[in-house]
Amino acid sequence: MKFFKSATVLAALPLVALAGAGLAQSAHAQAVSSGPVVAAGNTLLNISAEGKSARTPDLAVFNAGVTTQGKTAGEALTENAQRMTAVIAALKKAGIAERDIQTSNLSVNPVYGQPKRLPDGSFEQQDPVIIGYQATNQVSVRQRKLDQYGKVIDTLVSAGANQVNGPTFQIDSPDGALDEARLEAMKKARARADLYARAAGLRVVRVLSISENGGWAPPQPPVMFARAEKAMVQSASPVAAGELEMTVTVNVSYELAP
């Protein structure tokens, strides 16, 4: 019985080796044929081109919330909940839809006392002492009426918000702007391909492949309103939306022929 088992194993080895060789040859064939193929005597040209389009933003995203402190975590949270309820009510009253208000941060953290300074100027070495707690509740808000943005911010501060960060301006539906950028990028790529072809005494025969690096809109630097006080609110805060630039980069492969 041992002899037959050994013979079976030895007979199987060539089959395994052949199968492995077949897989290797198949993988090699796929690797060779994976890239663009040009006809004999022709040339492969790879072009990268960028297209841009500009739009006036129609959406402002900002964060608003309340930070409170108390001797206990419960005390800090209770006051925070009362003030945050007023802030959310003010948002809705200002015309912000519920779907455009989303909690982005809810946290409670201890507040530590400062170490005692000794006569020699150094600080007393001791374990940190908790002297209270700080509660923070923030919501992310999408403002669709940009002409009302400054007024909404002032309303929030009057309602008790002491943390307001933003805005980041966006385009609600960027597809149209991105398509314009794509068309411009493709026109630039073809013009550049024709230029290279003429310079080399060749002509563009066909497009072999097209890939896109994706659209991008540069982020807007945030306008910061931190720990604002009611007394500061005298008139609507001026806000300039400016213009957003959408950018798309395409990579195009062309076949050139004499």
Side-chain angles (χ1 to χ4, degrees), residues 65-66 77-93 101 137 139 156 159-161:
V66 175
L77 277 171
T78 298
E79 182 184 355
N80 190 284
Q82 293 173 350
R83 294 178 61 178
M84 196 61 193
T85 298
V87 167
I88 292 177
L91 282 170
K92 294 179 179 178
K93 188 176 181 179
I101 305 172
N137 191 342
V139 291
L156 288 178

Side-chain angles (χ1 to χ4, degrees), residues 1-17:
M1 293 298 294
K2 290 182 179 180
F3 173 79
F4 288 111
K5 286 184 178 180
S6 176
T8 301
V9 171
L10 289 174
L13 286 175
L15 295 176
V16 173

Side-chain angles (χ1 to χ4, degrees), residues 100-118:
D100 290 329
I101 305 172
Q102 185 178 55
T103 299
S104 59
N105 178 31
L106 178 58
S107 61
V108 181
N109 296 293
V111 177
Y112 295 96
Q114 296 296 321
K116 183 179 179 181
R117 185 183 290 273
L118 300 176

Side-chain angles (χ1 to χ4, degrees), residues 168-240:
T168 298
F169 291 108
Q170 300 177 5
I171 298 174
D172 192 24
S173 299
D175 291 345
L178 289 172
D179 285 345
E180 284 185 14
R182 291 181 179 106
L183 290 173
E184 182 186 350
M186 286 300 296
K187 288 179 181 178
K188 284 184 177 180
R190 181 54 192 254
R192 202 166 297 167
D194 288 335
L195 177 65
Y196 279 115
R198 287 195 302 270
L202 303 172
R203 61 186 174 85
V204 176
V205 177
R206 60 175 177 147
V207 174
L208 296 173
S209 66
I210 303 173
S211 64
E212 179 184 310
N213 289 352
W216 177 76
Q220 301 297 304
V223 179
M224 307 297 290
F225 302 85
R227 296 189 180 280
E229 299 295 336
K230 293 182 181 180
M232 295 174 58
V233 182
Q234 297 176 355
S235 60
S237 301
V239 176

